[in-house]
Amino acid sequence: MSYNFKETMNKPERLAPGHRMCAGCGGTIAVRNVLRGLHEGDRAVIGNATGCLEVSTFTYPYTAWEDSYIHNAFENAGATLSGVEGAYKALKRKGKLDETYKFITFGGDGGTYDIGFQSLSGAMERNHDLVYVCYDNGAYMNTGIQRSSATPMYADTTTTPVGSQSNGKPQNRKDLAAIIAAHDVPYVAQTTFVQNFKDLHVKSEKAIYTPGAAFLNIMAPCPRGWRYNTPDIMEICRLGVETCYWPLFEVEEGKWILNYEPKKKLPIEDFLRPQGRFKHLFKKGNEYLLEAFQKEVDRRWDELLFRCSR
Amino acid sequence: MAKRDRLSGNEAVAIALRQINPDVFPAFPITPSTEIPQYFASFAANGQVDTEFIPVESEHSSMSAAIGASAAGARSLTATSSCGLAYMWEELYIAASNRLPLALALVNRALSGPININCDHSDSMGARDSGWIQMYAENNQEAYDNMVQAYRISEHPDVRLPIMICQDGFITSHAVENIELLEDEEVQKFVGEYNPENYLLNPQCPMAVGPYSVTDYYMEAKRNQAEGMRHVSRVVLDVAKEYKKLSGREYGLFEEYRMDDAERAVVMIGSAAGTTKDAIDRLREQGEKVGLIKIRLYRPFPASEIAEALKNVKAVAIMDRAEGYTNHGGPLGADVMAALYRAHADALAVNYIYGLGGRDVRVKDMENVFAALKQMMADGDAGETYRYLGIRE
């Protein structure tokens, strides 16, 4: 698919300005760019798990959503959109609806990796014709930066605080994209804000227009939770990809495809250093933590290369 | 033309649903309601309905999907029992606050623990304040008739609230009894097409559902819900009147059985009313002035109408098939006693907890209840007002 940056960015916004998300929030960048994957004139119903995005974009009596939109609860975005898509099929079958609709639901990593995991798994396994988009900022940001199963190891969060007996979160993050790929859905992809949004745009369009269930995992940094200089979001994302912390890949009909391989893999310190949540890793005597982090990144990268080379 | 048949309560409700031909039916099995989606799945598999049947991975998701479907503009429902209802707890409130007229075929079963698959009302009683309309049945015929009337009530523009159609697990859901069914076309004509005003899949006007509401608006939203509830009794009676013309069967907010000159009465919900009617018939033969009020509509609660029906009664036993853990009785007891208080009634009233976890209720048990009421009248005092029926102490 050809990608024209100017043309894509000039598409009419489907998430209107004036919402109450933080300046520089990765969540809204993810949403606006996913919605640019919809062809002009195509209708959509947008779903949303409870979280920052929901409480800040649909505060009664205002909505920022140009399309039909439904928020139900925290843990059931997958099931809710399953019902909406079921209604679409039934109304079509009964000849009550002529128009074509697409179904896209957004959840943070809390609503997706954790509390909404069962609902997501069910919706994926049943292969509803919808896209589930996780904007992954690696913690429960809406409630004040608590750890999730998407939080990277050693991150300082309010439920895994760094202390005299703690180096932050003790566990590795869950590899959700791989888990959803194991559901054998038609399309799974992982992306973030790089390459003038080309990767995100192409994958969004593919996810939306692939019949059946699709899952997008988008690294969407949160300046408050990650504690980096807010305007540096694009650089943070680039470093995430160049260090192979957040690889760009897709799984199409079960086939793993690596979309980008850095010419020179940068050390993980480059991604961690600008983030306040990893400040303690750079204290003297904590070099072994950085080594362990690097080892984990390398292990996962090798595993991905293996999956993609088969 | 009515068709005579012999069906279980679950079959009867499933047939009503086939005749209604709803748009979306997400479901997850749980005893004793499992048969309802199971029968329905075979109707869908054989092209007898146009419904999108979605076999989801949990009850939480069945209610979530039913909410999504209803918001999208579809007539939707699900079915469940006991722990399944408890699992959809949060969603019950969301369905009601979104003013979605979806239906829930509930087959009453005890809540865990200990885990028990038999009938009591602890599941739906726990959901009594969730904003759902609740209707109960004594037998398969009433379960069928209530289901056919459900959407006419829930979808009424003055109401727009979800509706729970309850029947007793196993006692009603699995017992095969005689029944009169309506013709498919009669049901379809009676229920009519669902044409919502605002919905997600309306190409003319997109809609946003499920806002975050700050203190400035939340209370008005809840008050609006209550306004919908205030119209339910009237709509239930209007729909029942129309249904009587179609079926010949008469329904109200509750049934009064031999209440005309009754001095002693029992107030109860569900299948044990049949047993109680037998006890009443026997006692009436002995000249005893006893009667029954069987609740059909429990939410909203027809308080003033019940107080009116009890106005000449000297002693009343309110029967709860659920504990309330208030140390003074169950939920129906609290509702009826509050109604009597507001009506300045001076009847002696006691509250029995009975039939938990499927504990059998026999005619003799109910005769004992009426005997206890007689004793209260003789004593001029209710004595202990919080009692258990048929318990091994």
Side-chain angles (χ1 to χ4, degrees), chain A residues 64-119:
Chain A
W65 300 88
E66 300 286 352
D67 296 283
S68 272
Y69 167 94
I70 181 167
H71 157 253
N72 187 342
F74 194 5
E75 67 288 17
N76 60 0
T80 303
L81 223 61
S82 301
V84 175
E85 189 250 10
Y88 175 68
K89 280 190 200 153
L91 296 183
K92 280 261 179 190
R93 193 179 303 144
K94 289 185 172 178
K96 284 179 143 184
L97 187 68
D98 294 327
E99 288 75 5
T100 300
Y101 276 84
K102 295 290 167 190
F103 304 94
I104 306 167
T105 195
F106 294 97
D109 47 287
T112 308
Y113 282 66
D114 291 346
I115 196 170
F117 183 58
Q118 171 184 307
S119 178

Side-chain angles (χ1 to χ4, degrees), chain B residues 335-349:
Chain B
D335 282 325
V336 174
M337 288 197 195
L340 293 173
Y341 178 81
R342 275 194 293 264
H344 308 290
D346 48 16
L348 298 167

Side-chain angles (χ1 to χ4, degrees), chain B residues 100-120:
Chain B
L100 298 173
L102 57 101
L104 173 61
L106 186 81
V107 181
N108 284 103
R109 162 185 154 184
L111 280 174
S112 297
I115 187 168
N116 172 289
I117 59 166
N118 297 100
C119 175
D120 71 34

